[in-house]
Amino acid sequence: EENKTMHVPRRKDKNPGGRCLYTLKMVVLFLSLVNVAFFIMQMMSTSSFHARYTTNKLLGELKIEEWKEKVPTIVSNMNTALKTPMRWRPFVYFHTRKCGGSSVRSIVYQMAQRANITDNNLWIPCAGHRPCVPFSLPDPKQDAVIYGGHLNFMHMTNIMREVKERQNLLQETGTLSLENGENVTYHKLEDSYPVFDCVTTIRPTVKRVVSCWNYRFNLPRKPKGFPLPRSNELEPQDFANLLPKAYDQYGGGCNNEMARVFGSSVDETHINTLSPSDPRFVQELDNIASRISKCFILRVDRCEDSNKIIEHFIPWMRGTDMCSRHANSKGQSSDEVSEEAGAVILEQNYIDELIFNLGEDLFEKQLERATSS
C-alpha cells in the first residue's frame, strides 16, 4: 500500500505580537544571565587578585626575614675583592639610580686610574674615553676587568659565563638515569661560584623614588608634556596613578629599581608595575635577595661607614673618600612628600622596600666585620 503524504494546513498565529514579545523576553533574560555570570566571574577574579596580593605580601615578608637571619653567615663567609681585578674575576659596580650612583661611578674610575688600570680595560660609561651613554651594555668582546653602569646582574652573569675563560665555571652537577638505564651528568645553576666581585648602593625607598621623580620628570625636557609637577605638588592619588604609567624620554620608570638591577626581567613595563599580585613575586624576591647578598653594600648617606667597608673589602679602592663629592644632587628640602604619599610610594615599590631592609642588614654586618678586623 502506497504511503501518502498528508498535508496538514499551518495554523494561523492568532497572536504574532505576543510570540515576538516572548522571544524578546527570553533574549533579555539570557543576556541578563550572561551579565550576572560575567559579574560573578569578575568578583571571583577580584577576590582571587586580592587574596594573591595579600598572601604574597605576607610570604614576601617571611622570605626577607629568612634572608635576614642568614646575613651574619653570608657576611662572615664573604671574600674580599681581588687585590687587582682580573679578567677571570672582574669587578662590577651596579649603579642603582638616585642612590648616589653617579658619584660612586666616578670614584670607581678614579681609583682604577690610581691602580694603573688603563681605559681599555675599563667599561664605565661617561668616564675616560668612553661615550656618555649611561644605559648602554658592555661589548662582550672587550673583556674588561672593571665594569660600572646601569647593568643587570643576570645580564652580566651570562656575559661572564660565555666569554670568560675559566675552569669548571659551573661547579655544581647533578646526575640522572635515562629511560634506557644510561646515567648522565649535567651542570646545575644552583651555584655560588663567584663570576665577579660587585658593589652597589642603597637608599631609603621613598627618598629614592622622590629623587628619581624630580630628576627624571620635573627637569625641563624636550618631549611634549614635560616637565611634570614636582613631587611636593602631587597628591597621594597622583602618585598611585602616575608612577606605574610614567616613563622618561629614555623609557625608564621610577618604581622597583632593585628589581631593575638585580631582577630576572629587563622588560621595563613589567619592572615598573611589579607588585605582590604577580604570581612570581615571591620567587623574584628570593632571586633579588640572593643576588644582592653577593655584593658589597654602600650608602652615600653613611659615607664614612661606607669608606670603612671599601677599605676592608675592596683593596684596590683603599683611600676612597665617598664624603668628598655628590654628583647629580638637585634635591630640595621642600621635596619631601606627605606621609600618605609616602605610603602610596611604598605600596608601589613593595619589593624594593623589602630588599632595602635586607640591604640595611647587609650593610651593618659588613661594617661590623670591617671595623672589627
Side-chain angles (χ1 to χ4, degrees), residues 230-288:
R230 205 159 179 86
S231 59
N232 56 12
E233 300 172 14
L234 297 174
E235 297 296 328
Q237 191 58 41
D238 295 327
F239 281 110
N241 293 333
L242 282 169
L243 274 175
K245 299 176 182 177
Y247 299 88
D248 64 16
Q249 59 182 327
Y250 304 108
C254 283
N255 283 342
N256 302 319
E257 181 67 8
M258 292 302 170
R260 190 173 284 106
V261 176
F262 294 98
S264 307
S265 174
V266 292
D267 182 341
E268 182 60 26
T269 55
H270 176 263
I271 294 167
N272 206 49
T273 58
L274 181 61
S275 78
S277 62
D278 190 305
R280 288 184 53 81
F281 177 84
V282 178
Q283 181 60 54
E284 185 69 334
L285 176 67
D286 191 47
N287 292 337
I288 296 169

Side-chain angles (χ1 to χ4, degrees), residues 131-168:
C132 194
V133 186
F135 292 92
S136 58
L137 298 174
D139 179 0
K141 296 179 182 178
Q142 183 182 353
D143 205 14
V145 300
I146 296 178
Y147 298 84
H150 298 294
L151 302 166
N152 175 270
F153 187 97
M154 285 310 300
H155 180 85
M156 288 304 302
T157 298
N158 291 332
I159 286 180
M160 299 300 122
R161 284 174 176 163
E162 288 200 31
V163 306
K164 302 293 180 180
E165 293 184 4
R166 295 186 178 86
Q167 292 181 347
N168 301 321

Side-chain angles (χ1 to χ4, degrees), residues 172-187:
E172 296 293 329
T173 59
T175 58
L176 182 72
S177 295
L178 301 180
E179 292 299 314
N180 63 7
E182 180 185 355
N183 291 327
V184 294
T185 302
Y186 56 90
H187 286 301

Side-chain angles (χ1 to χ4, degrees), residues 63-79 289 293-295 297 312-313 357-370 372:
K63 178 62 68 177
I64 285 300
E65 288 304 315
E66 289 178 12
W67 274 102
K68 290 171 77 171
E69 290 177 3
K70 294 188 285 188
V71 164
T73 303
I74 290 171
V75 174
S76 67
N77 291 334
M78 289 185 86
N79 294 320
S293 66
K294 293 177 173 62
C295 295
I297 309 296
H312 177 79
F313 286 101
N357 292 337
L358 173 63
E360 281 188 304
D361 279 23
L362 287 166
F363 178 86
E364 295 299 342
K365 281 298 176 183
Q366 290 175 10
L367 176 61
E368 181 182 306
R369 179 176 163 187
S372 64

Side-chain angles (χ1 to χ4, degrees), residues 78-97:
M78 289 185 86
N79 294 320
T80 59
L82 294 183
K83 187 175 182 180
T84 301
M86 305 292 287
R87 282 188 167 82
W88 59 270
R89 187 171 161 188
F91 183 88
V92 182
Y93 165 52
F94 290 105
H95 182 168
T96 47
R97 299 175 307 160

